Amino acid sequence: MTGRTELATVGTVHDEGSWLFTATDANGNDEEVILVPCADGVEAWVNRCTHEAQRLDRGFGAAIRDGQVICPKHGSMFDACSGYCDNGEAADTTLVPVDVAVEGGTVYLADRSYTFRREGGLDAGDGDDEGDGGPSSTSHIGF
């Protein structure tokens, strides 16, 4: 399959709840991207809340409930299939999409604006143990 990088299987994303990888964008910047289960397969979003650029998946899976990806800082909920948020601090915004394709149960990176780097987040395997990169939560939401 030319021009696309194999990422994961649809089954893996559905079983694990989300799947995190790092890609380089067209400007040479590394970005975290999450694959999330959707009724029709999977969708991919830049791993960043639209409100305060908080990581949705902090390296141990995105919090997802009832088809909604939940921001761990303020609790804004984004539809996993459309990326749209209709509540909380991020209301009326949409997550940044990353194009993927599903073929034969396998998910491929199809967005020509991104180049796959590795499975996992920006800090995966860099040997730096300073902090977990997560937000300092101001909410009382527990997951």
Side-chain angles (χ1 to χ4, degrees), residues 28-95:
N29 301 311
D30 285 346
E31 288 277 9
E32 291 182 348
V33 179
I34 54 172
L35 298 177
V36 295
C38 192
D40 295 339
V42 300
E43 290 294 334
W45 308 105
V46 171
N47 186 31
R48 187 173 51 243
C49 178
T50 55
H51 172 235
E52 283 187 2
Q54 297 297 311
R55 294 169 69 199
L56 300 169
D57 178 338
R58 296 177 288 159
F60 45 87
I64 299 176
R65 183 175 51 226
D66 298 328
Q68 304 279 314
V69 180
I70 306 165
C71 175
K73 185 167 184 181
H74 293 109
S76 292
M77 298 172 68
F78 299 86
D79 183 84
C81 299
S82 71
Y84 182 74
C85 178
D86 65 359
N87 62 75
E89 300 289 339
D92 295 322
T93 65
T94 303
L95 295 173

Short mmCIF file of all heavy atoms in Angstrom, two decimals, residues 28-95:
data_model
loop_
_atom_site.label_atom_id
_atom_site.label_comp_id
_atom_site.label_asym_id
_atom_site.label_seq_id
_atom_site.Cartn_x
_atom_site.Cartn_y
_atom_site.Cartn_z
N GLY A 28 7.64 20.22 10.15
CA GLY A 28 8.73 19.57 10.86
C GLY A 28 8.54 19.46 12.36
O GLY A 28 9.46 19.09 13.08
N ASN A 29 7.34 19.78 12.83
CA ASN A 29 7.05 19.68 14.26
C ASN A 29 6.47 18.31 14.59
O ASN A 29 5.61 17.81 13.88
CB ASN A 29 6.03 20.75 14.67
CG ASN A 29 6.53 22.14 14.38
OD1 ASN A 29 7.65 22.49 14.74
ND2 ASN A 29 5.72 22.93 13.71
N ASP A 30 6.92 17.73 15.68
CA ASP A 30 6.35 16.46 16.14
C ASP A 30 5.02 16.73 16.84
O ASP A 30 4.89 17.68 17.61
CB ASP A 30 7.30 15.74 17.09
CG ASP A 30 8.46 15.10 16.36
OD1 ASP A 30 8.41 14.99 15.12
OD2 ASP A 30 9.43 14.72 17.03
N GLU A 31 4.04 15.90 16.54
CA GLU A 31 2.70 15.98 17.12
C GLU A 31 2.30 14.60 17.61
O GLU A 31 2.61 13.59 16.97
CB GLU A 31 1.66 16.41 16.07
CG GLU A 31 1.73 17.83 15.66
CD GLU A 31 1.02 18.78 16.60
OE1 GLU A 31 0.59 18.36 17.70
OE2 GLU A 31 0.90 19.94 16.23
N GLU A 32 1.59 14.56 18.72
CA GLU A 32 0.96 13.31 19.14
C GLU A 32 -0.41 13.22 18.47
O GLU A 32 -1.11 14.23 18.34
CB GLU A 32 0.78 13.29 20.66
CG GLU A 32 2.07 13.17 21.40
CD GLU A 32 1.87 13.09 22.90
OE1 GLU A 32 0.76 13.35 23.41
OE2 GLU A 32 2.85 12.76 23.58
N VAL A 33 -0.77 12.02 18.08
CA VAL A 33 -2.06 11.77 17.43
C VAL A 33 -2.69 10.57 18.13
O VAL A 33 -2.00 9.61 18.49
CB VAL A 33 -1.88 11.47 15.92
CG1 VAL A 33 -3.22 11.18 15.26
CG2 VAL A 33 -1.16 12.61 15.22
N ILE A 34 -4.01 10.65 18.34
CA ILE A 34 -4.72 9.51 18.94
C ILE A 34 -5.70 8.93 17.94
O ILE A 34 -6.37 9.65 17.22
CB ILE A 34 -5.45 9.87 20.24
CG1 ILE A 34 -6.40 11.05 20.06
CG2 ILE A 34 -4.48 10.13 21.37
CD1 ILE A 34 -7.29 11.32 21.27
N LEU A 35 -5.73 7.61 17.90
CA LEU A 35 -6.78 6.88 17.20
C LEU A 35 -7.81 6.53 18.25
O LEU A 35 -7.46 6.07 19.35
CB LEU A 35 -6.24 5.58 16.59
CG LEU A 35 -5.16 5.68 15.52
CD1 LEU A 35 -4.73 4.28 15.10
CD2 LEU A 35 -5.65 6.47 14.33
N VAL A 36 -9.08 6.78 17.94
CA VAL A 36 -10.15 6.45 18.88
C VAL A 36 -11.22 5.64 18.18
O VAL A 36 -11.44 5.79 16.98
CB VAL A 36 -10.77 7.72 19.52
CG1 VAL A 36 -9.74 8.44 20.39
CG2 VAL A 36 -11.34 8.65 18.48
N PRO A 37 -11.89 4.75 18.92
CA PRO A 37 -12.95 3.95 18.31
C PRO A 37 -14.14 4.82 17.90
O PRO A 37 -14.48 5.78 18.58
CB PRO A 37 -13.36 2.98 19.41
CG PRO A 37 -12.64 3.35 20.64
CD PRO A 37 -11.70 4.46 20.32
N CYS A 38 -14.71 4.47 16.79
CA CYS A 38 -15.88 5.16 16.27
C CYS A 38 -16.81 4.07 15.74
O CYS A 38 -16.36 2.97 15.41
CB CYS A 38 -15.45 6.11 15.16
SG CYS A 38 -16.71 7.27 14.68
N ALA A 39 -18.08 4.36 15.65
CA ALA A 39 -19.05 3.36 15.20
C ALA A 39 -18.66 2.73 13.86
O ALA A 39 -18.83 1.54 13.64
CB ALA A 39 -20.43 3.99 15.11
N ASP A 40 -18.10 3.54 12.96
CA ASP A 40 -17.72 3.04 11.64
C ASP A 40 -16.29 2.54 11.57
O ASP A 40 -15.80 2.24 10.49
CB ASP A 40 -17.90 4.16 10.59
CG ASP A 40 -19.36 4.54 10.44
OD1 ASP A 40 -20.24 3.73 10.79
OD2 ASP A 40 -19.62 5.66 9.97
N GLY A 41 -15.57 2.49 12.65
CA GLY A 41 -14.18 2.04 12.65
C GLY A 41 -13.36 2.84 13.61
O GLY A 41 -13.45 2.64 14.82
N VAL A 42 -12.54 3.77 13.11
CA VAL A 42 -11.71 4.63 13.96
C VAL A 42 -11.61 6.02 13.34
O VAL A 42 -11.80 6.20 12.14
CB VAL A 42 -10.29 4.07 14.18
CG1 VAL A 42 -10.30 2.71 14.84
CG2 VAL A 42 -9.51 4.04 12.89
N GLU A 43 -11.29 6.98 14.18
CA GLU A 43 -10.97 8.34 13.75
C GLU A 43 -9.65 8.71 14.41
O GLU A 43 -9.26 8.13 15.42
CB GLU A 43 -12.06 9.33 14.17
CG GLU A 43 -13.35 9.18 13.42
CD GLU A 43 -13.26 9.52 11.93
OE1 GLU A 43 -12.39 10.31 11.54
OE2 GLU A 43 -14.07 8.97 11.17
N ALA A 44 -8.96 9.70 13.82
CA ALA A 44 -7.68 10.16 14.36
C ALA A 44 -7.74 11.67 14.59
O ALA A 44 -8.25 12.41 13.75
CB ALA A 44 -6.54 9.82 13.40
N TRP A 45 -7.21 12.08 15.73
CA TRP A 45 -7.21 13.49 16.13
C TRP A 45 -5.86 13.84 16.71
O TRP A 45 -5.22 13.02 17.37
CB TRP A 45 -8.29 13.75 17.20
CG TRP A 45 -9.64 13.24 16.81
CD1 TRP A 45 -10.26 12.11 17.30
CD2 TRP A 45 -10.52 13.79 15.84
NE1 TRP A 45 -11.48 11.95 16.68
CE2 TRP A 45 -11.67 12.96 15.78
CE3 TRP A 45 -10.47 14.90 15.01
CZ2 TRP A 45 -12.74 13.22 14.93
CZ3 TRP A 45 -11.53 15.16 14.16
CH2 TRP A 45 -12.65 14.33 14.13
N VAL A 46 -5.42 15.09 16.48
CA VAL A 46 -4.23 15.58 17.18
C VAL A 46 -4.56 15.50 18.67
O VAL A 46 -5.66 15.87 19.10
CB VAL A 46 -3.87 17.01 16.73
CG1 VAL A 46 -2.78 17.61 17.62
CG2 VAL A 46 -3.42 17.01 15.27
N ASN A 47 -3.64 15.02 19.45
CA ASN A 47 -3.83 14.74 20.87
C ASN A 47 -3.76 16.02 21.70
O ASN A 47 -2.87 16.19 22.53
CB ASN A 47 -2.76 13.74 21.34
CG ASN A 47 -2.98 13.28 22.76
OD1 ASN A 47 -4.11 13.19 23.23
ND2 ASN A 47 -1.89 12.98 23.45
N ARG A 48 -4.73 16.91 21.47
CA ARG A 48 -4.69 18.19 22.14
C ARG A 48 -6.10 18.75 22.27
O ARG A 48 -6.81 18.89 21.28
CB ARG A 48 -3.81 19.14 21.33
CG ARG A 48 -3.52 20.44 21.95
CD ARG A 48 -2.50 21.27 21.18
NE ARG A 48 -2.79 21.41 19.76
CZ ARG A 48 -2.02 20.95 18.77
NH1 ARG A 48 -0.91 20.29 19.04
NH2 ARG A 48 -2.35 21.14 17.52
N CYS A 49 -6.48 19.10 23.48
CA CYS A 49 -7.75 19.78 23.71
C CYS A 49 -7.69 21.16 23.06
O CYS A 49 -6.65 21.82 23.09
CB CYS A 49 -8.02 19.91 25.21
SG CYS A 49 -9.55 20.80 25.60
N THR A 50 -8.79 21.60 22.51
CA THR A 50 -8.83 22.89 21.84
C THR A 50 -8.88 24.06 22.82
O THR A 50 -8.64 25.19 22.42
CB THR A 50 -10.05 22.96 20.91
OG1 THR A 50 -11.23 22.68 21.68
CG2 THR A 50 -9.92 21.97 19.78
N HIS A 51 -9.16 23.79 24.07
CA HIS A 51 -9.28 24.87 25.05
C HIS A 51 -7.93 25.38 25.52
O HIS A 51 -7.63 26.56 25.41
CB HIS A 51 -10.13 24.41 26.24
CG HIS A 51 -10.15 25.38 27.37
ND1 HIS A 51 -9.80 25.01 28.65
CD2 HIS A 51 -10.45 26.69 27.44
CE1 HIS A 51 -9.90 26.07 29.44
NE2 HIS A 51 -10.29 27.10 28.73
N GLU A 52 -7.09 24.50 26.07
CA GLU A 52 -5.79 24.92 26.60
C GLU A 52 -4.66 24.01 26.19
O GLU A 52 -3.69 23.86 26.91
CB GLU A 52 -5.84 24.98 28.13
CG GLU A 52 -6.55 26.18 28.68
CD GLU A 52 -6.42 26.29 30.19
OE1 GLU A 52 -5.74 25.44 30.82
OE2 GLU A 52 -7.01 27.22 30.75
N ALA A 53 -4.78 23.39 25.04
CA ALA A 53 -3.73 22.51 24.49
C ALA A 53 -3.31 21.42 25.46
O ALA A 53 -2.16 21.02 25.50
CB ALA A 53 -2.53 23.34 24.03
N GLN A 54 -4.25 20.92 26.25
CA GLN A 54 -3.98 19.80 27.16
C GLN A 54 -3.97 18.49 26.37
O GLN A 54 -4.74 18.32 25.44
CB GLN A 54 -5.04 19.73 28.25
CG GLN A 54 -5.07 20.94 29.15
CD GLN A 54 -3.78 21.11 29.92
OE1 GLN A 54 -3.28 20.18 30.53
NE2 GLN A 54 -3.25 22.32 29.89
N ARG A 55 -3.11 17.56 26.76
CA ARG A 55 -3.08 16.24 26.13
C ARG A 55 -4.32 15.46 26.55
O ARG A 55 -4.63 15.37 27.74
CB ARG A 55 -1.82 15.50 26.55
CG ARG A 55 -0.55 16.17 26.04
CD ARG A 55 0.68 15.60 26.68
NE ARG A 55 0.89 14.23 26.24
CZ ARG A 55 1.66 13.36 26.89
NH1 ARG A 55 2.25 13.71 28.02
NH2 ARG A 55 1.82 12.15 26.43
N LEU A 56 -5.01 14.89 25.58
CA LEU A 56 -6.18 14.06 25.88
C LEU A 56 -5.75 12.67 26.34
O LEU A 56 -6.35 12.08 27.22
CB LEU A 56 -7.08 13.98 24.65
CG LEU A 56 -7.61 15.33 24.16
CD1 LEU A 56 -8.25 15.19 22.79
CD2 LEU A 56 -8.57 15.93 25.16
N ASP A 57 -4.71 12.14 25.71
CA ASP A 57 -4.09 10.88 26.13
C ASP A 57 -2.71 11.26 26.66
O ASP A 57 -1.86 11.74 25.93
CB ASP A 57 -3.97 9.93 24.94
CG ASP A 57 -3.30 8.61 25.29
OD1 ASP A 57 -2.54 8.55 26.30
OD2 ASP A 57 -3.49 7.64 24.55
N ARG A 58 -2.51 11.05 27.96
CA ARG A 58 -1.25 11.43 28.60
C ARG A 58 -0.26 10.28 28.64
O ARG A 58 0.68 10.30 29.42
CB ARG A 58 -1.53 11.97 29.99
CG ARG A 58 -2.36 13.25 29.92
CD ARG A 58 -2.73 13.78 31.26
NE ARG A 58 -3.73 12.90 31.87
CZ ARG A 58 -3.98 12.85 33.17
NH1 ARG A 58 -3.31 13.60 34.00
NH2 ARG A 58 -4.90 12.05 33.64
N GLY A 59 -0.48 9.29 27.78
CA GLY A 59 0.46 8.17 27.69
C GLY A 59 -0.09 6.87 28.22
O GLY A 59 0.55 5.84 28.14
N PHE A 60 -1.31 6.90 28.76
CA PHE A 60 -1.91 5.68 29.28
C PHE A 60 -3.35 5.52 28.82
O PHE A 60 -4.17 4.91 29.49
CB PHE A 60 -1.79 5.60 30.81
CG PHE A 60 -2.13 6.88 31.52
CD1 PHE A 60 -3.43 7.18 31.87
CD2 PHE A 60 -1.13 7.79 31.83
CE1 PHE A 60 -3.75 8.37 32.53
CE2 PHE A 60 -1.43 8.98 32.49
CZ PHE A 60 -2.74 9.26 32.84
N GLY A 61 -3.66 6.09 27.67
CA GLY A 61 -5.00 5.95 27.09
C GLY A 61 -5.85 7.18 27.33
O GLY A 61 -5.76 7.82 28.36
N ALA A 62 -6.64 7.51 26.32
CA ALA A 62 -7.56 8.64 26.44
C ALA A 62 -8.78 8.20 27.24
O ALA A 62 -9.23 7.06 27.13
CB ALA A 62 -8.00 9.12 25.06
N ALA A 63 -9.30 9.10 28.06
CA ALA A 63 -10.54 8.82 28.78
C ALA A 63 -11.70 8.97 27.79
O ALA A 63 -11.88 10.03 27.19
CB ALA A 63 -10.71 9.80 29.94
N ILE A 64 -12.43 7.88 27.60
CA ILE A 64 -13.56 7.89 26.66
C ILE A 64 -14.76 7.27 27.37
O ILE A 64 -14.65 6.22 28.00
CB ILE A 64 -13.22 7.09 25.39
CG1 ILE A 64 -12.03 7.72 24.68
CG2 ILE A 64 -14.43 7.02 24.45
CD1 ILE A 64 -11.56 6.97 23.46
N ARG A 65 -15.88 7.98 27.25
CA ARG A 65 -17.12 7.48 27.84
C ARG A 65 -18.27 7.80 26.90
O ARG A 65 -18.40 8.94 26.44
CB ARG A 65 -17.34 8.12 29.21
CG ARG A 65 -18.58 7.59 29.92
CD ARG A 65 -18.76 8.14 31.33
NE ARG A 65 -18.67 9.58 31.36
CZ ARG A 65 -17.97 10.27 32.25
NH1 ARG A 65 -17.29 9.65 33.17
NH2 ARG A 65 -17.96 11.58 32.23
N ASP A 66 -19.08 6.81 26.61
CA ASP A 66 -20.26 6.98 25.77
C ASP A 66 -19.94 7.67 24.45
O ASP A 66 -20.64 8.57 24.00
CB ASP A 66 -21.36 7.76 26.50
CG ASP A 66 -21.85 7.06 27.75
OD1 ASP A 66 -21.86 5.80 27.76
OD2 ASP A 66 -22.23 7.74 28.71
N GLY A 67 -18.82 7.26 23.82
CA GLY A 67 -18.45 7.82 22.52
C GLY A 67 -17.89 9.22 22.57
O GLY A 67 -17.79 9.90 21.56
N GLN A 68 -17.48 9.67 23.76
CA GLN A 68 -16.95 11.02 23.95
C GLN A 68 -15.52 10.93 24.52
O GLN A 68 -15.28 10.21 25.48
CB GLN A 68 -17.81 11.80 24.95
CG GLN A 68 -19.26 11.90 24.59
CD GLN A 68 -19.52 12.98 23.57
OE1 GLN A 68 -19.02 14.09 23.68
NE2 GLN A 68 -20.30 12.66 22.56
N VAL A 69 -14.60 11.68 23.91
CA VAL A 69 -13.24 11.80 24.43
C VAL A 69 -13.25 12.94 25.43
O VAL A 69 -13.70 14.04 25.14
CB VAL A 69 -12.23 12.10 23.30
CG1 VAL A 69 -10.82 12.23 23.85
CG2 VAL A 69 -12.29 11.04 22.21
N ILE A 70 -12.76 12.67 26.64
CA ILE A 70 -12.87 13.63 27.74
C ILE A 70 -11.52 14.29 28.02
O ILE A 70 -10.51 13.62 28.22
CB ILE A 70 -13.36 12.92 29.02
CG1 ILE A 70 -14.65 12.17 28.72
CG2 ILE A 70 -13.53 13.91 30.16
CD1 ILE A 70 -15.04 11.16 29.79
N CYS A 71 -11.52 15.62 28.05
CA CYS A 71 -10.32 16.36 28.43
C CYS A 71 -10.10 16.16 29.93
O CYS A 71 -11.00 16.43 30.73
CB CYS A 71 -10.47 17.84 28.11
SG CYS A 71 -9.05 18.82 28.71
N PRO A 72 -8.90 15.70 30.32
CA PRO A 72 -8.65 15.44 31.74
C PRO A 72 -8.52 16.69 32.60
O PRO A 72 -8.56 16.60 33.82
CB PRO A 72 -7.35 14.64 31.74
CG PRO A 72 -6.67 15.02 30.49
CD PRO A 72 -7.75 15.31 29.49
N LYS A 73 -8.39 17.86 32.00
CA LYS A 73 -8.23 19.06 32.82
C LYS A 73 -9.57 19.68 33.19
O LYS A 73 -9.83 19.94 34.35
CB LYS A 73 -7.36 20.10 32.11
CG LYS A 73 -7.11 21.31 33.02
CD LYS A 73 -6.02 22.21 32.54
CE LYS A 73 -5.79 23.30 33.58
NZ LYS A 73 -4.76 24.23 33.16
N HIS A 74 -10.42 19.98 32.21
CA HIS A 74 -11.68 20.66 32.51
C HIS A 74 -12.92 19.82 32.25
O HIS A 74 -14.03 20.27 32.51
CB HIS A 74 -11.79 21.97 31.72
CG HIS A 74 -10.81 23.00 32.13
ND1 HIS A 74 -9.74 23.36 31.36
CD2 HIS A 74 -10.71 23.72 33.27
CE1 HIS A 74 -9.03 24.27 32.00
NE2 HIS A 74 -9.60 24.51 33.16
N GLY A 75 -12.75 18.63 31.68
CA GLY A 75 -13.89 17.75 31.47
C GLY A 75 -14.68 18.00 30.20
O GLY A 75 -15.73 17.39 30.01
N SER A 76 -14.22 18.87 29.31
CA SER A 76 -14.90 19.04 28.03
C SER A 76 -14.92 17.70 27.31
O SER A 76 -13.96 16.93 27.38
CB SER A 76 -14.17 20.07 27.16
OG SER A 76 -14.29 21.36 27.71
N MET A 77 -16.03 17.41 26.64
CA MET A 77 -16.21 16.12 25.98
C MET A 77 -16.35 16.33 24.47
O MET A 77 -17.18 17.10 24.02
CB MET A 77 -17.41 15.41 26.57
CG MET A 77 -17.21 15.12 28.06
SD MET A 77 -18.67 14.49 28.90
CE MET A 77 -18.81 12.90 28.14
N PHE A 78 -15.52 15.61 23.71
CA PHE A 78 -15.49 15.69 22.26
C PHE A 78 -16.06 14.42 21.66
O PHE A 78 -15.67 13.32 22.07
CB PHE A 78 -14.05 15.86 21.77
CG PHE A 78 -13.38 17.11 22.26
CD1 PHE A 78 -12.75 17.15 23.49
CD2 PHE A 78 -13.40 18.26 21.49
CE1 PHE A 78 -12.13 18.31 23.95
CE2 PHE A 78 -12.78 19.43 21.94
CZ PHE A 78 -12.15 19.45 23.17
N ASP A 79 -16.96 14.55 20.71
CA ASP A 79 -17.50 13.39 20.03
C ASP A 79 -16.35 12.64 19.34
O ASP A 79 -15.59 13.25 18.57
CB ASP A 79 -18.54 13.82 18.99
CG ASP A 79 -19.17 12.63 18.30
OD1 ASP A 79 -20.11 12.07 18.86
OD2 ASP A 79 -18.68 12.27 17.21
N ALA A 80 -16.21 11.36 19.62
CA ALA A 80 -15.09 10.58 19.07
C ALA A 80 -15.14 10.51 17.55
O ALA A 80 -14.08 10.42 16.91
CB ALA A 80 -15.09 9.17 19.67
N CYS A 81 -16.33 10.56 16.96
CA CYS A 81 -16.45 10.41 15.50
C CYS A 81 -16.32 11.73 14.75
O CYS A 81 -15.78 11.76 13.65
CB CYS A 81 -17.77 9.74 15.16
SG CYS A 81 -17.93 8.08 15.85
N SER A 82 -16.80 12.83 15.33
CA SER A 82 -16.75 14.12 14.63
C SER A 82 -15.70 15.07 15.21
O SER A 82 -15.33 16.04 14.56
CB SER A 82 -18.12 14.81 14.69
OG SER A 82 -18.39 15.26 16.01
N GLY A 83 -15.25 14.82 16.45
CA GLY A 83 -14.30 15.70 17.11
C GLY A 83 -14.93 16.95 17.70
O GLY A 83 -14.25 17.75 18.33
N TYR A 84 -16.24 17.11 17.54
CA TYR A 84 -16.92 18.33 17.98
C TYR A 84 -17.22 18.29 19.48
O TYR A 84 -17.60 17.26 20.02
CB TYR A 84 -18.22 18.52 17.20
CG TYR A 84 -18.96 19.78 17.58
CD1 TYR A 84 -18.50 21.02 17.17
CD2 TYR A 84 -20.10 19.73 18.37
CE1 TYR A 84 -19.16 22.19 17.53
CE2 TYR A 84 -20.78 20.89 18.74
CZ TYR A 84 -20.30 22.11 18.31
OH TYR A 84 -20.96 23.26 18.67
N CYS A 85 -17.05 19.45 20.12
CA CYS A 85 -17.36 19.60 21.54
C CYS A 85 -18.52 20.57 21.69
O CYS A 85 -18.49 21.67 21.13
CB CYS A 85 -16.14 20.14 22.29
SG CYS A 85 -16.45 20.41 24.06
N ASP A 86 -19.53 20.18 22.44
CA ASP A 86 -20.69 21.06 22.65
C ASP A 86 -20.87 21.44 24.11
O ASP A 86 -21.93 21.87 24.51
CB ASP A 86 -21.96 20.43 22.09
CG ASP A 86 -22.38 19.17 22.83
OD1 ASP A 86 -21.67 18.75 23.77
OD2 ASP A 86 -23.41 18.59 22.46
N ASN A 87 -19.79 21.29 24.91
CA ASN A 87 -19.92 21.56 26.34
C ASN A 87 -18.61 22.04 26.95
O ASN A 87 -17.55 21.89 26.36
CB ASN A 87 -20.39 20.29 27.07
CG ASN A 87 -19.36 19.19 26.92
OD1 ASN A 87 -18.32 19.22 27.56
ND2 ASN A 87 -19.62 18.24 26.04
N GLY A 88 -18.69 22.58 28.14
CA GLY A 88 -17.51 22.94 28.91
C GLY A 88 -16.68 24.06 28.30
O GLY A 88 -17.14 24.82 27.44
N GLU A 89 -15.44 24.13 28.73
CA GLU A 89 -14.52 25.19 28.31
C GLU A 89 -14.21 25.16 26.82
O GLU A 89 -13.88 26.19 26.23
CB GLU A 89 -13.21 25.09 29.11
CG GLU A 89 -13.38 25.22 30.60
CD GLU A 89 -13.74 26.62 31.05
OE1 GLU A 89 -13.49 27.58 30.31
OE2 GLU A 89 -14.29 26.74 32.16
N ALA A 90 -14.30 24.00 26.18
CA ALA A 90 -13.97 23.86 24.75
C ALA A 90 -15.21 23.88 23.85
O ALA A 90 -15.13 23.52 22.68
CB ALA A 90 -13.18 22.59 24.52
N ALA A 91 -16.36 24.29 24.38
CA ALA A 91 -17.61 24.27 23.62
C ALA A 91 -17.47 24.99 22.28
O ALA A 91 -16.78 26.00 22.16
CB ALA A 91 -18.73 24.91 24.43
N ASP A 92 -18.13 24.41 21.28
CA ASP A 92 -18.17 24.95 19.91
C ASP A 92 -16.82 24.92 19.20
O ASP A 92 -16.55 25.75 18.33
CB ASP A 92 -18.76 26.36 19.88
CG ASP A 92 -20.21 26.36 20.31
OD1 ASP A 92 -20.94 25.42 19.95
OD2 ASP A 92 -20.62 27.29 21.03
N THR A 93 -15.96 23.97 19.58
CA THR A 93 -14.70 23.76 18.88
C THR A 93 -14.64 22.31 18.41
O THR A 93 -15.42 21.47 18.86
CB THR A 93 -13.48 24.06 19.77
OG1 THR A 93 -13.44 23.12 20.84
CG2 THR A 93 -13.52 25.48 20.30
N THR A 94 -13.71 22.04 17.52
CA THR A 94 -13.54 20.69 16.99
C THR A 94 -12.06 20.32 17.04
O THR A 94 -11.20 21.15 16.72
CB THR A 94 -14.05 20.61 15.53
OG1 THR A 94 -15.42 21.01 15.50
CG2 THR A 94 -13.94 19.21 14.96
N LEU A 95 -11.79 19.08 17.44
CA LEU A 95 -10.41 18.60 17.46
C LEU A 95 -9.82 18.66 16.05
O LEU A 95 -10.54 18.58 15.05
CB LEU A 95 -10.37 17.16 17.97
CG LEU A 95 -10.81 16.94 19.41
CD1 LEU A 95 -10.88 15.46 19.73
CD2 LEU A 95 -9.87 17.66 20.37
#
